[in-house]
């Protein structure tokens, strides 16, 4: 089968590279999502700690200006948490889109690989048939010389 090659080999290589690119994009999107999720978790913990601290200070007596500072800080943290939740939803959508793009790229690559395997199997079968015909011809010619 020397000299026989798959004519779409460059296309297959390209599809493999596209699949790798999509894998990297998915990994990056997952990392961003996980980072945002971890930040949200930390912000919530900070908010709980702030609420506990404020409650303790109120129980022992707190000045109005300090209470105002706690309130302002609490509102800012609440806004940050809300923004993080919104960005987390967008990041989840991005991860899903990257996952779907990877699945499409993998299917395209797999389809070409299956086509290549079929084509190579057909080429091997054709080569075997030619060899068999050649050996049959030699056998027929050998009988004629006796």
């Amino acid at each position: 089968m020397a000299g026989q090659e798959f004519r779409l080999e460059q296309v297959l290589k390209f599809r493999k590279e596209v699949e790798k690119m999509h894998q990297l994009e998915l990994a990056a999107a997952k990392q961003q999502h996980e980072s945002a999720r971890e930040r949200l978790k930390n912000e919530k913990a900070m908010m709980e700690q702030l609420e506990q601290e404020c409650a303790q200070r109120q129980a022992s007596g707190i000045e109005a200006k300090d209470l105002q500072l706690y309130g302002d800080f609490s509102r800012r943290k609440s806004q940050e948490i809300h923004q993080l939740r919104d960005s987390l939803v967008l990041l989840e959508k991005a991860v899903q889109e990257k996952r779907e793009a990877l699945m499409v790229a993998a299917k395209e690559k797999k389809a070409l690989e299956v086509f290549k395997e079929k084509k190579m199997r057909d080429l091997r079968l054709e080569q075997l048939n030619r060899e068999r015909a050649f050996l049959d011809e030699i056998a027929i010619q050998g009988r004629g010389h006796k």
Side-chain angles (χ1 to χ4, degrees), residues 52-62:
Q52 289 174 357
E53 184 179 319
C54 184
Q56 288 173 352
R57 296 273 315 262
Q58 281 179 338
S60 64
I62 188 171

Side-chain angles (χ1 to χ4, degrees), residues 26-129:
L26 176 60
K30 283 182 176 179
Q31 179 62 37
Q32 287 177 333
H33 179 266
E34 186 58 34
S35 177
R37 203 174 72 153
E38 190 63 32
R39 185 164 175 230
L40 178 61
K41 177 181 165 187
N42 290 339
E43 291 295 328
K44 285 180 177 180
M46 287 174 63
M47 185 68 164
E48 285 181 24
Q49 182 181 1
L50 176 70
E51 289 171 353
Q52 289 174 357
E53 184 179 319
C54 184
Q56 288 173 352
R57 296 273 315 262
Q58 281 179 338
S60 64
I62 188 171
E63 294 182 19
K65 65 178 180 160
D66 290 336
L67 189 58
Q68 180 67 37
L69 285 174
Y70 275 112
D72 291 345
F73 188 71
S74 177
R75 278 188 293 282
R76 194 177 94 226
K77 280 293 175 195
S78 293
Q79 289 173 347
E80 286 179 20
I81 289 171
H82 183 71
Q83 288 173 344
L84 281 171
R85 283 184 180 140
D86 290 345
S87 70
L88 198 59
V89 169
L90 294 175
L91 288 171
E92 287 172 0
K93 288 179 183 177
V95 167
Q96 186 59 33
E97 289 171 2
K98 301 293 183 189
R99 185 175 287 120
E100 289 171 5
L102 175 59
M103 286 178 12
V104 168
K107 284 179 184 179
E108 289 176 351
K109 181 196 77 162
K110 184 66 175 173
L112 200 54
E113 286 176 338
V114 168
F115 179 70
K116 176 183 178 180
E117 289 172 13
K118 183 180 181 298
K119 199 67 163 164
M120 298 308 275
R121 186 177 57 241
D122 291 347
L123 288 172
R124 282 192 297 272
L125 187 59
E126 184 181 322
Q127 180 72 25
L128 285 172
N129 287 337

